[in-house]
Amino acid sequence: MMRSLYVRVALTFLLTVMLSLVLPFLVGSRINRDALLDRVHDDMVDFANSTIYIVGKLQPPDMNEALQKMATVKHYGLWLYGSGGDAQVFNAADGMAEIDDAAVKQVLGGAVYDSLQEGREVTLNELIVGFPQEVNGSRYALFVVAHPRRDMGNNAQRDLIKVLLTVLVPGGLLILLAARYIVKPLQKLTEATKRISRGDFRVRVDIDRKDEIGLLAKTFNHMAGELQQMETMRQDFVSNVSHEIQTPLTSIHGFAIELQQPGMPEEERLKYLRIMERESARLSRLGRNLLKLASLESDQYPLHPRELELDEQLRRVVVACEPLWAGKDLLMDLDELERTKIVADEDALGQVWINLLHNSIKFTPAGGDIRVELDSTKPGWVEVRISDSGIGIAPQDRERVFERFFKADRSRSSGKGPADGTGYAAVGSAEDEWTAGGAAQLSGSGLGLAITKRIVELHGGQIRLDSELGSGTTVTVTLPVIRPQA
């Protein structure tokens, strides 16, 4: 039971309230006791002086009656000791402090006695003052003794108990409600966390508060959303990998069966073998791309930055891709690339330009154009823009083109684009094939842009894609001139 946060919070509040009442009361009682002790002591001294004056100067007819009345009015006890040590007591009460013989002798000897001057802790009930007095030539010792005040302590304790009950009963109920207000959202969060641990990433907590607990709930909901998205991506990844692997395997298996048929013409047999070779190469590329992407997404991917001429690298990549864009009769415009030097990993960055150019070539119809631009006007940064007049990308697909295996239109994988010209798919892998007939047979696996984006991020840059359906696509890569240190 004590392990419950609700009980702990409630007990903490209750103990805090009790201590906040008891401690001030004890401190205040101590201060008030000292002040009261001084006031009573001063009053007893004044009373003793008044008594000495009345007895010594006014000489009342009945001195004993006068002393009795004075002691009663002031609620003090009076002890009058003669020279022989005998005493007359007026207004005595049980529990009064006793006067020892040494004090009597001290006062009869002409000195004043004060219990506060003895150097010890004195309570209110132990206050005694003594003064010498002469009556008709005889010396007496007059002592004033404080009456017992036990009721004061008892009353204070009763008052404290009343205050505590008055505060703790309604206050305790309010504290229990307040503790529930604090703890209940945490209980919701705990239950939601258990559901997430069981794999239910759809759970959300409905806590509409503006304090730290509300912020915690908002952060929790955001985390749950991210986990749900990651789980969806994981499932899609497994599904896509299975699909990408199953398709070539099915093709290879089917053609392997066909090759076992007797009497197959040599030309058809070679055709089947070439198809099986292509499908095997496709599987190999898929495996390499998966390994490359996994390596890029790890924190230990080795980049080897060095100074390179970016404009020259772009020219080399365009020239290397000439069989692809020339075979489709595309116009390649390199603009006038300004000489630009940056510090980057040449091989990794070359993969970026190859991937982007292959995608532009793949989805630009025959007779279209591709433009490569280089802008180094921003201090410390350089921009490379690759634009094409291709079929474009639908608005709902633009944000997802950098996801692994994402293909908005499966017809893209054939390299021909949508039959009706109205659809566009996300860019796939840059591992394309070029046949002897000059037609681009691009069998993308949907990993190309994911790899591209990761390489750009590892260089401290950004990649942006702008496109309209039927109006082409522009990909902008922004890179620092000097790669930042990891």
Side-chain angles (χ1 to χ4, degrees), residues 360-404:
S360 292
I361 294 169
K362 179 178 179 180
F363 301 112
T364 300
D369 60 86
I370 298 174
R371 181 179 181 84
V372 180
E373 299 174 278
L374 180 58
D375 183 2
S376 58
T377 58
K378 294 181 180 180
W381 296 88
V382 61
E383 281 189 355
V384 176
R385 289 184 292 273
I386 300 178
S387 307
D388 62 59
S389 59
I391 57 179
I393 302 177
Q396 67 270 19
D397 298 328
R398 292 172 197 158
E399 298 299 325
R400 300 191 60 193
V401 294
F402 295 105
E403 295 180 12
R404 292 171 294 185

Side-chain angles (χ1 to χ4, degrees), residues 75-144:
H75 297 290
Y76 295 130
L78 285 178
W79 269 253
L80 188 63
Y81 286 88
S83 56
D86 53 326
Q88 290 181 287
V89 181
F90 305 95
N91 198 26
D94 294 335
M96 276 188 171
E98 296 182 356
I99 305 172
D100 56 25
D101 295 339
V104 174
K105 291 179 180 179
Q106 178 181 335
V107 177
L108 288 175
V112 175
Y113 174 81
D114 192 337
S115 59
L116 280 181
Q117 306 301 323
E118 290 185 333
R120 64 183 181 87
E121 186 81 11
V122 177
T123 64
L124 191 64
N125 296 337
E126 296 174 332
L127 281 178
I128 302 173
V129 293
F131 291 87
Q133 183 179 21
E134 289 189 5
V135 179
N136 298 325
S138 298
R139 175 165 291 183
Y140 295 90
L142 179 65
F143 287 88
V144 179

Side-chain angles (χ1 to χ4, degrees), residues 79-238:
W79 269 253
L80 188 63
Y81 286 88
S83 56
D86 53 326
Q88 290 181 287
V89 181
F90 305 95
N91 198 26
D94 294 335
M96 276 188 171
E98 296 182 356
I99 305 172
D100 56 25
D101 295 339
V104 174
K105 291 179 180 179
Q106 178 181 335
V107 177
L108 288 175
V112 175
Y113 174 81
D114 192 337
S115 59
L116 280 181
Q117 306 301 323
E118 290 185 333
R120 64 183 181 87
E121 186 81 11
V122 177
T123 64
L124 191 64
N125 296 337
E126 296 174 332
L127 281 178
I128 302 173
V129 293
F131 291 87
Q133 183 179 21
E134 289 189 5
V135 179
N136 298 325
S138 298
R139 175 165 291 183
Y140 295 90
L142 179 65
F143 287 88
V144 179
V145 182
H147 262 233
R149 297 174 180 265
R150 297 190 185 92
D151 58 324
M152 292 184 62
N154 295 332
N155 290 337
Q157 292 177 357
R158 286 193 295 269
D159 291 341
L160 175 60
I161 293 174
K162 290 179 181 178
V163 171
L164 287 176
L165 291 177
T166 303
V167 173
L168 291 180
V169 172
L173 295 176
L174 293 176
I175 287 171
L176 292 175
L177 293 176
R180 181 175 178 82
Y181 174 75
I182 294 174
V183 173
K184 190 172 182 179
L186 298 179
Q187 293 174 336
K188 288 184 178 180
L189 285 168
T190 301
E191 182 60 30
T193 303
K194 292 179 180 178
R195 291 177 60 183
I196 281 186
S197 68
R198 295 192 294 267
D200 182 8
F201 301 116
R202 297 170 300 175
V203 62
R204 298 293 185 273
V205 289
D206 183 18
I207 300 176
D208 186 16
R209 290 170 54 167
K210 306 299 182 183
D211 54 9
E212 288 80 358
I213 294 180
L215 178 60
L216 177 61
K218 184 178 179 181
T219 305
F220 177 88
N221 288 336
H222 177 73
M223 179 196 70
E226 293 293 321
L227 289 174
Q228 184 179 13
Q229 184 177 0
M230 290 179 61
E231 176 63 15
T232 301
M233 291 176 61
R234 185 190 67 82
Q235 294 176 356
D236 290 344
F237 177 80
V238 173

